[in-house]
Amino acid sequence: VKDLPIDIVEEQLTHSKAICDSYNTTLIVNDYWELAMELGCDWVHLGQEDLDEADVNALKKRDIKLGISTHDKKELDRALALEPDYIALGPVYPTILKKMKWHQQGLPRVTEWKKYIKDIPLVAIGGMTVERAGAVFEALSRESFLDEGNVDNIVVGTTIATNALLQRKGAQTLFVTTKGFEDILFIQRIDRKGLYDLQWVKPKPYVERKHCI
């Protein structure tokens, strides 16, 4: 939605928040931090470029939780100075969803990042799939950071809409969080007609939330 007029973005965020609220699901607003404050959202995710203009102090005064993208040590130090609620590292694996100047970070970087940020939740993104989950767990457990008791949620979704355009096929994705990051976006099947049509009847999930790990 980055290329849409701001009034359209506000309308879609308003609908998104209403849907998430009705299902007790957290909405994480990417980039649009001012709208997030205006609409009373609980989470904001910012990239490094967004940090140049975002008023992080204003977000904290509103008790809005913050996640920050990082790609190298300099960016990581900058993010940590802002005391974020989670750190995102990516792309761990090659991704085609957007053009980036960084190549894949690799599993050793996952281990390095978690060792450095300690108890701050780490979100590994980029090229994640179900098949690659085991390798991510192994990368974290090398320094005894992760065991089964520290895994709160594993959320599996698909990037069908985007990949259908880029590769003419769907691609499974995996979202792994360390313990302490319970407010996550719950992804499930969608059968709406348009990608940005947020006013649709939500279907029942294949697996109820109470059965998810």
Side-chain angles (χ1 to χ4, degrees):
V1 299
K2 291 186 178 182
D3 297 327
L4 295 178
I6 192 64
D7 58 329
I8 300 298
V9 175
E10 181 177 1
E11 179 183 356
Q12 294 189 356
L13 284 179
T14 300
H15 290 318
S16 297
K17 187 176 186 303
I19 293 171
C20 289
D21 288 347
S22 66
Y23 287 92
N24 193 29
T25 301
T26 299
L27 174 67
I28 302 177
V29 179
N30 185 36
D31 298 344
Y32 292 98
W33 59 276
E34 291 175 301
L35 283 179
M37 291 197 301
E38 180 181 334
L39 299 175
C41 298
D42 298 317
W43 279 87
V44 168
H45 180 91
L46 296 176
Q48 292 291 318
E49 297 83 2
D50 305 308
L51 290 176
D52 295 333
E53 300 179 358
D55 190 339
V56 175
N57 289 329
L59 291 172
K60 290 183 177 296
K61 288 180 180 179
R62 298 286 188 92
D63 293 324
I64 297 177
K65 296 181 180 180
L66 175 65
I68 301 177
S69 294
T70 62
H71 309 88
D72 57 37
K73 188 66 182 323
K74 182 179 179 179
E75 291 185 352
L76 179 57
D77 287 334
R78 182 190 188 191
L80 291 175
L82 298 173
E83 300 181 341
D85 295 282
Y86 73 81
I87 290 289
L89 169 67
V92 176
Y93 292 97
T95 178
I96 63 169
L97 295 185
K98 62 179 180 179
K99 293 182 179 179
M100 303 182 71
K101 64 180 181 180
W102 296 275
H103 298 292
Q104 68 183 83
Q105 301 282 355
L107 295 173
R109 186 62 66 89
V110 174
T111 304
E112 177 186 354
W113 249 231
K114 189 54 188 171
K115 182 178 180 180
Y116 194 75
I117 69 177
K118 302 184 185 304
D119 293 333
I120 300 176
L122 174 65
V123 178
I125 58 176
M128 300 296 296
T129 65
V130 175
E131 292 76 15
R132 290 168 172 168
V136 175
F137 291 148
E138 182 180 352
L140 289 170
S141 63
R142 285 172 189 158
E143 298 290 339
S144 299
F145 294 122
L146 184 69
D147 56 41
E148 292 183 1
N150 286 329
V151 179
D152 273 0
N153 296 283
I154 301 175
V155 178
V156 180
T158 59
T159 54
I160 294 176
T162 303
N163 284 279
L165 297 174
L166 298 176
Q167 292 185 320
R168 296 186 179 181
K169 64 180 182 180
Q172 287 188 320
T173 62
L174 179 71
F175 183 76
V176 179
T177 70
T178 53
K179 190 171 184 178
F181 188 66
E182 297 178 353
D183 296 314
I184 61 172
L185 179 64
F186 189 67
I187 306 174
Q188 59 188 38
R189 65 190 177 97
I190 297 176
D191 50 8
R192 60 189 180 212
K193 294 181 179 180
L195 178 61
Y196 300 113
D197 178 15
L198 301 179
Q199 297 177 319
W200 86 102
V201 177
K202 187 175 183 179
K204 293 183 179 180
Y206 291 121
V207 180
E208 296 182 19
R209 180 187 289 272
K210 62 183 181 182
H211 299 307
C212 297
I213 59 173

